[in-house]
Amino acid sequence: MSTFLFATLDAGGNLPPAVGIAGELVSLGHRVRFLGHPRQETAIKASGAEFQPYSHSPRMALAEQMPTLHQISMLVSVFTDAGIARDVVEEARRERADVVVVDCLLLGALDAAAKAGLFTVALVHSFYAFFDGPFRRTPITAALALKGLGPRRVMSRANRILVCADRRLDPAGRPGRKGAGDQNGRVVWCGAVVDVERPAPAPASGSTPRVLVSLSTTAFNGQDAFMQKALDAVADLPLEVILTTGPAINAARIWAPPNVTAHAYLPHREVMPECVAVLGHGGHATTMLALAHNLPLVIAPMHPLLDQRMVGQAVQDAGAGLLIKPSASAEEIASALRTAADSASLHLGAATIGRRLRRADGARTGALFLEEIAC
């Protein structure tokens, strides 16, 4: 039996890959411990892993609306937090961990673990091409570099980089791409970690199609306004709409037409098998879960500095969805949704990727990789 210590943060879609892999490690007979934020405890313990909250950590406020500069400042403070870094090193030394798996956003913890001589794996929960590309050219990264924690330098100190993404969709993993590559085997793609009970069947004729509308759990400027436009768009469409608002949307300020059923929270894996398409923001976790259910997407990125546009572009390029602007009108949103719901080619593209994602079994593949390097 090996012992694994995971360090994570409460940033929404970053947690499912870590929890999925942890659950597989537990099933293989290994001990898994987590350091994280209190709101993550239930999901982590459900995987069979142990949970301990950080002793020294700033409060996460990603579900709260705030000016962009304040949000950037808050993100930088969490990504570089010395208290989190201290907790990770102390916990790994208190009870020896064979492998320390650190969320790729926790750059301070990654750097501290490497300097402490711990065998460290950076867990990437989206496309590696984003973290090794556009992310390095944002104001967030400029602030990180001023603290001596530029992403490329810090990630280069990790013993391995485990990418929880489909290598054929990730621009960094495609054959012949110049740039990041796999850095002589240090970078490993295990596939997207998705929890699929059963994929959605092909749309049936005669029934009212159902679509899922869901944006980020992180609060982005303009997200409420886009959500209202999306609901205005579906009001006159022959669709049944399942809406999940999450903590970032003020449901009291949203008008929903009669063909919309709204939920503050609903596990997407429970509703996706009954849907024909998804309207989302391009978050990697929700997007890959939709594709794993054979569902084409309409993607409207909510933040220009994050990976959402890259994810949406990859889905569109693969013929599995449409990328639209957040400034799109209600009419444009309605047209995109009709296309996603009705297009045989988009359904075929999504089903092709879905089969690949389910076959890759990212959680199991990632766990077996970690098991191998721990031996």
Side-chain angles (χ1 to χ4, degrees), residues 147-163:
K147 292 176 173 282
L149 294 170
R152 176 170 280 189
R153 186 190 71 80
V154 173
M155 298 271 275
S156 71
R157 297 177 64 92
N159 296 93
R160 299 288 189 277
I161 298 171
L162 181 59
V163 184

Side-chain angles (χ1 to χ4, degrees), residues 211-215 226 230-231 234 277-281 286 296-300 324 333 337:
V211 300
L212 171 66
V213 176
S214 182
L215 301 180
F226 180 85
L231 296 181
V234 303
V278 173
L279 169 61
H281 68 293
T286 300
L297 297 108
V298 176
I299 293 175
I324 64 174
I333 297 170
L337 273 173

Side-chain angles (χ1 to χ4, degrees), residues 256-333:
N259 62 332
V260 173
T261 303
H263 303 265
Y265 171 75
L266 188 67
H268 288 164
R269 65 185 294 272
E270 294 181 4
V271 68
M272 281 182 177
E274 310 300 329
C275 291
V276 299
V278 173
L279 169 61
H281 68 293
H284 185 266
T286 300
T287 301
M288 294 304 121
L289 187 61
L291 291 172
H293 282 88
N294 298 340
L295 298 178
L297 297 108
V298 176
I299 293 175
M302 290 292 107
H303 199 292
L305 301 182
L306 301 181
D307 60 341
Q308 299 159 13
R309 193 184 190 287
M310 178 181 282
V311 170
Q313 189 67 57
V315 170
Q316 179 169 277
D317 291 347
L322 299 173
L323 175 64
I324 64 174
K325 296 179 179 179
S327 61
S329 66
E331 292 74 19
E332 290 170 324
I333 297 170

Side-chain angles (χ1 to χ4, degrees), residues 63-330:
E64 300 174 8
Q65 291 282 355
M66 62 181 71
T68 300
L69 287 178
H70 289 181
Q71 192 173 64
I72 290 174
S73 177
M74 187 270 293
L75 290 172
V76 170
S77 71
V78 175
F79 296 170
T80 63
D81 187 69
I84 291 177
R86 172 184 165 189
D87 286 347
V88 170
V89 173
E90 288 184 354
E91 180 62 20
R93 286 175 170 169
R94 184 184 69 82
E95 289 192 67
R96 188 182 68 84
D98 297 295
V99 178
V100 179
V101 184
V102 181
D103 189 293
C104 64
L105 294 176
L106 291 177
L107 295 164
L110 274 169
D111 193 56
K115 287 178 178 176
L118 303 174
F119 192 95
T120 308
V121 174
L123 189 71
V124 177
H125 38 78
S126 186
F127 293 161
Y128 184 59
F130 175 75
F131 291 102
D132 198 58
F135 186 59
R136 296 190 298 112
R137 298 188 291 274
T138 68
I140 296 173
T141 305
L144 294 172
L146 288 175
K147 292 176 173 282
L149 294 170
R152 176 170 280 189
R153 186 190 71 80
V154 173
M155 298 271 275
S156 71
R157 297 177 64 92
N159 296 93
R160 299 288 189 277
I161 298 171
L162 181 59
V163 184
C164 301
D166 177 70
R167 186 162 187 166
R168 290 174 62 179
L169 285 178
D170 187 345
R174 296 171 190 170
R177 178 191 181 271
K178 295 181 180 179
D182 66 359
Q183 297 184 18
N184 297 319
R186 285 186 61 253
V187 183
V188 175
W189 282 260
C190 66
V193 177
V194 289
D195 185 8
V196 181
E197 185 173 284
R198 57 187 173 90
S205 60
S207 60
T208 302
R210 176 180 290 181
V211 300
L212 171 66
V213 176
S214 182
L215 301 180
S216 178
T217 56
T218 299
F220 298 122
N221 292 333
Q223 191 157 279
D224 285 10
F226 180 85
M227 178 67 81
Q228 187 60 69
K229 279 194 299 181
L231 296 181
D232 294 342
V234 303
D236 296 322
L237 294 181
L239 296 173
E240 179 184 344
V241 178
I242 304 298
L243 168 68
T244 58
T245 59
I249 298 289
N250 185 349
R253 298 174 58 185
I254 298 294
W255 171 81
N259 62 332
V260 173
T261 303
H263 303 265
Y265 171 75
L266 188 67
H268 288 164
R269 65 185 294 272
E270 294 181 4
V271 68
M272 281 182 177
E274 310 300 329
C275 291
V276 299
V278 173
L279 169 61
H281 68 293
H284 185 266
T286 300
T287 301
M288 294 304 121
L289 187 61
L291 291 172
H293 282 88
N294 298 340
L295 298 178
L297 297 108
V298 176
I299 293 175
M302 290 292 107
H303 199 292
L305 301 182
L306 301 181
D307 60 341
Q308 299 159 13
R309 193 184 190 287
M310 178 181 282
V311 170
Q313 189 67 57
V315 170
Q316 179 169 277
D317 291 347
L322 299 173
L323 175 64
I324 64 174
K325 296 179 179 179
S327 61
S329 66

